[in-house]
Amino acid sequence: MNRITGALRSPVAFSILAGVVIGALFLVGTGADPVAAYGAVIGGSLGADGIGSTLSTGTSVLGMALALAIPLRAGLINLGGDGQLVLGGIAAAVTGLYAPLPAPLTVVLALFAGMAAGAGYAALAALCENHLGVPLLVSSLLLSYPAASFASYLARYPLKEPGSSLPQTRQLPDGVALPAFGGSTVTVGLVLVALAAAAYWFADRRTAIGYEVRMTGLNSRFAAYAGIERKGLTLRLMAVSGALAGLVGSIGVLSFPYRFVDGSLTAPGHTWTGLTAALLAGAAPLGTVVASFFFAVLQVGGLSMERTTEVPRELTQVLQAIVIVFLAARLRFPRFSRFRRGREKPSAQGEFA
Amino acid sequence: MFFDSDLLMSALRALTPILLAALGGALCERAGVFNIGLEGMMLMGCFTSVATSWFTGSPWLGVLAAALAAAGYSLILAVGAVTLRGDAVVLGIAMNLLAVGLTGFLLRTVFGVQGTFDDPSLAGLPLVGGFSPLAYLAWAAVGVAALMLSRHGWGLRLRGVGEAPDAAATLGVSPAKYQYAAVLVSGVLCGLAGAQLALGNVTLFSENMTAGRGWIAVVAVMLGRALPLGVLLAALLFGVAEAAGFRLQGLGLPQQATDAAPYVVTLGALFLTTARRRRRIRATGATS
């Protein structure tokens, strides 16, 4: 009994429980049976029919969660994931379509092109903070919109598939694709993202840079005093973050439907789900993996819940957000000290001036 | 003629929702609560106004319901950030996400449609002299907010709470009370902004129809240094960019370029103002 109350006292467990309970109230309110609906979520996402879909959704969610967790570990919030994601996707598509190389090399090159595009764009947001004094939160988010518009323009005009009415590029040549496992939609992309998670775990736990990042997140002023150069750290963390977002975009293009379709990379909202997962886990590497899997289950399960019980799948998005609302209210993150540096400057304005 | 009175009119229409939301954000900023939940509060206002107007047939009740609903929604931030001392940034992000999910969920359960609810019998706000009454209210609110913050005791205490909460508490001013008030007023203003967007500028609700305007409002607060007149200028800049974008689209520029214009212009304005401010700080030898 003590262990149960102890576990409930942990903010994460409490927040998830609160989300599930409030979700059940919603379900009852709309006349649905919560047990049947939650059963459909679990059965639909972890059952034989759903697990493949959960793993392929999980690839993108985990990729974006890592992209956002890495800067978050140092107290930096990258809100430009969508822009970095689509730029990575469009860069991979262009490389896949036009690189005059054998297919396997083209795949590798496309992955790197996507990562480079994402990294470069995220670094731009870091430069805006470092040299122009625009807070990262704002610069990364605002930069995201022109990036999405630019990719949309490319997919609708210069790169548009001739004769198609859809805003999409041509299909990549034969063989320019990530190998899939068996007949499933799960590709090698999952392995790449899992490797990234392992690398993040190793860097976080075992390396000096990981220690510096965590220390900056816990107390940025102390970290500065200890000789950690903040601007350089911001730039490097954002580049890594953007590279991962770009990787997710490339994986999206190099998997079914093997082309860049305008809006299809951002429509599922993986960036925000990833941010939610990273926040839930406090950006810790293993926790981010677990939280990403949890949200992938929710998303895929939401679809099957919609089919079997007619409860709209948007409910799962509500659940996600409720979990984070409770978590944010209960936890006092020490790491967002930029916005609450003591009582004398509790606002962004202070940082900004 | 590229710059004519039509352009100015459409710029003024485009700025109204931003201005209302940004005034709310500025009040919170002055009270020391960082509010980036403006987008979500606006979206709640959009949905409530449309739902209420459709069920009652009165857009005015829609406006009222939007203000109340968004104020109620803003309590999440007030309770979470002020009472529980949670993280305002994370709360704001979560509120924005929650609003997208919640309005999408309600759109499906209440109207049984996905994407957009658009009905000929949905009553929008009337236009007075080319603008919805909420536009006039927004301009009046600039003046009221400016006077409150610079002259009225309530506004002065609000600023005191934001700048030195401990000192304010010593003088017997409860910081929590003023911060709650600021957050609730920002909720009301965001609700009005949402109603203007959904019943004034157009007459429909579509998923995520705020499309980043709440974030632009957050930036307008920074650009305008949380001063009502500054916020008005920043919102005007955005309005002109949006209106000019539409105009350029008519002249053959692809929609994607003009969609991006307001964000690029806003970012550019941020660069310029911060660069100038930084130079001044360097020139006076102050350490930042």
Side-chain angles (χ1 to χ4, degrees):
Chain A
M1 200 61 207
N2 260 345
R3 279 173 62 186
I4 296 173
T5 51
L8 280 184
R9 231 175 269 138
S10 115
V12 171
F14 176 85
S15 306
I16 292 176
L17 188 73
V20 169
V21 170
I22 293 179
L25 293 177
F26 264 100
L27 289 164
V28 172
T30 57
D33 173 7
V35 177
Y38 282 143
V41 169
I42 303 289
S45 58
L46 298 176
D49 294 336
I51 187 74
S53 179
T54 303
L55 288 177
S56 56
T57 302
T59 303
S60 305
V61 173
L62 176 58
M64 291 315 286
L66 288 171
L68 301 163
I70 288 171
L72 194 61
R73 199 67 159 157
L76 307 168
I77 303 186
N78 173 11
L79 285 183
D82 268 348
Q84 295 144 22
L85 173 76
V86 289
L87 284 187
I90 199 84
V94 170
T95 313
L97 285 171
Y98 297 109
L101 293 170
L105 282 179
T106 306
V107 171
V108 175
L109 194 65
L111 288 172
F112 277 110
M115 288 172 72
Y121 207 61
L124 190 60
L127 291 176
C128 287
E129 166 161 296
N130 287 347
H131 298 291
L132 299 166
V134 180
L136 190 67
L137 191 73
V138 168
S139 62
S140 62
L141 182 90
L142 285 181
L143 281 171
S144 195
Y145 291 95
S149 295
F150 175 65
S152 170
Y153 171 77
L154 288 181
R156 280 166 194 270
Y157 298 99
L159 297 176
K160 188 172 180 302
E161 182 179 37
S164 164
S165 62
L166 296 171
Q168 59 185 23
T169 65
R170 279 184 290 126
Q171 194 166 22
L172 300 180
D174 273 345
V176 180
L178 288 170
F181 294 110
S184 71
T185 53
V186 185
T187 64
V188 172
L190 180 62
V191 178
L192 294 177
V193 172
L195 283 176
Y200 177 38
W201 176 82
F202 182 80
D204 188 66
R205 288 279 135 203
R206 297 291 152 92
T207 64
I209 173 95
Y211 177 69
E212 287 182 2
V213 168
R214 267 185 293 148
M215 197 161 67
T216 306
L218 290 171
N219 188 336
S220 65
R221 273 201 285 186
F222 175 73
Y225 178 71
I228 295 170
E229 206 249 313
R230 182 171 184 101
K231 287 183 174 179
L233 192 70
T234 304
L235 188 64
R236 275 180 287 162
L237 287 177
M238 281 301 284
V240 173
S241 172
L244 277 167
L247 176 69
V248 175
S250 332
I251 291 172
V253 166
L254 293 166
S255 312
F256 180 81
Y258 311 111
R259 57 173 101 219
F260 183 89
V261 185
D262 185 27
S264 74
L265 289 174
T266 49
H270 292 319
T271 303
W272 294 104
T273 305
L275 179 61
T276 317
L279 286 171
L280 181 63
L286 290 178
T288 302
V289 175
V290 175
S292 302
F293 186 71
F294 172 62
F295 285 137
V297 164
L298 265 186
Q299 277 201 348
V300 175
L303 285 172
S304 77
M305 172 185 75
E306 180 172 285
R307 277 195 302 273
T308 53
T309 64
E310 291 178 356
V311 176
R313 65 168 179 278
E314 282 83 359
L315 182 74
T316 56
Q317 205 180 348
V318 174
L319 286 183
Q320 273 177 33
I322 290 176
V323 170
I324 294 303
V325 166
F326 274 92
L327 193 70
R330 276 179 67 93
L331 273 188
R332 244 164 279 162
F333 288 90
R335 58 177 63 89
F336 302 123
S337 50
R338 313 177 54 67
F339 290 105
R340 43 203 335 260
R341 184 175 296 159
R343 303 288 286 292
E344 70 278 5
K345 276 186 185 175
S347 64
Q349 198 71 27
E351 180 60 34
F352 195 62
Chain B
M1 260 305 265
F2 186 78
F3 286 101
D4 52 17
S5 60
D6 277 359
L7 187 85
L8 183 67
M9 292 285 275
S10 59
L12 288 176
R13 272 192 289 271
L15 84 79
T16 306
I18 310 284
L19 178 59
L20 284 166
L23 281 175
L27 280 182
C28 289
E29 184 70 36
R30 282 307 182 88
V33 182
F34 186 46
N35 187 349
I36 57 169
L38 301 176
E39 172 101 0
M41 295 176 351
M42 265 169 98
L43 194 57
M44 295 300 285
C46 291
F47 182 82
T48 322
S49 66
V50 165
T52 311
S53 171
W54 194 75
F55 281 113
T56 63
S58 158
W60 297 110
L61 285 176
V63 170
L64 183 69
L68 291 176
Y73 192 63
S74 74
L75 275 175
I76 297 178
L77 180 67
V79 174
V82 178
T83 306
L84 300 174
R85 301 200 162 275
D87 194 280
V89 173
V90 178
L91 272 168
I93 292 173
M95 284 172 74
N96 293 338
L97 288 177
L98 182 59
V100 175
L102 208 55
T103 52
F105 178 78
L106 290 171
L107 186 66
R108 297 281 297 279
T109 46
V110 176
F111 294 109
V113 294
Q114 205 171 351
T116 301
F117 175 74
D118 185 5
D119 194 282
S121 66
L122 178 64
L125 288 166
L127 293 184
V128 182
F131 297 102
S132 97
L134 288 181
Y136 298 104
L137 184 73
W139 302 331
V142 175
V144 172
L147 285 178
M148 283 289 276
L149 286 171
S150 62
R151 298 261 187 274
H152 197 272
W154 194 87
L156 295 175
R157 284 193 290 273
L158 183 86
R159 282 164 56 189
V161 162
E163 278 154 30
D166 292 336
T170 316
L171 294 174
V173 177
S174 153
K177 211 160 77 186
Y178 281 87
Q179 289 175 334
Y180 260 74
V183 172
L184 281 174
V185 171
S186 80
V188 168
L189 289 169
C190 286
L192 297 177
Q196 165 66 20
L197 206 56
L199 296 177
N201 289 11
V202 291
T203 313
L204 57 86
F205 177 82
S206 71
E207 272 176 42
N208 210 1
M209 71 185 293
T210 42
R213 285 185 182 79
W215 290 104
I216 293 277
V218 171
V219 178
V221 174
M222 294 181 173
L223 261 179
R225 307 176 87 174
L227 297 165
L229 285 174
V231 164
L232 173 66
L233 285 178
L236 184 64
L237 182 72
F238 175 85
V240 169
E242 193 170 292
F246 275 125
R247 180 63 60 91
L248 288 170
Q249 212 174 304
L251 297 176
L253 215 68
Q255 190 199 341
Q256 286 74 27
T258 58
D259 277 352
Y263 304 99
V264 176
V265 168
T266 314
L267 200 58
L270 263 178
F271 290 162
L272 291 176
T273 53
T274 48
R276 218 187 49 210
R277 216 172 292 164
R278 290 178 136 209
R279 254 202 311 279
R280 201 179 308 142
I281 289 166
R282 220 170 289 151
T284 54
T287 51
S288 63

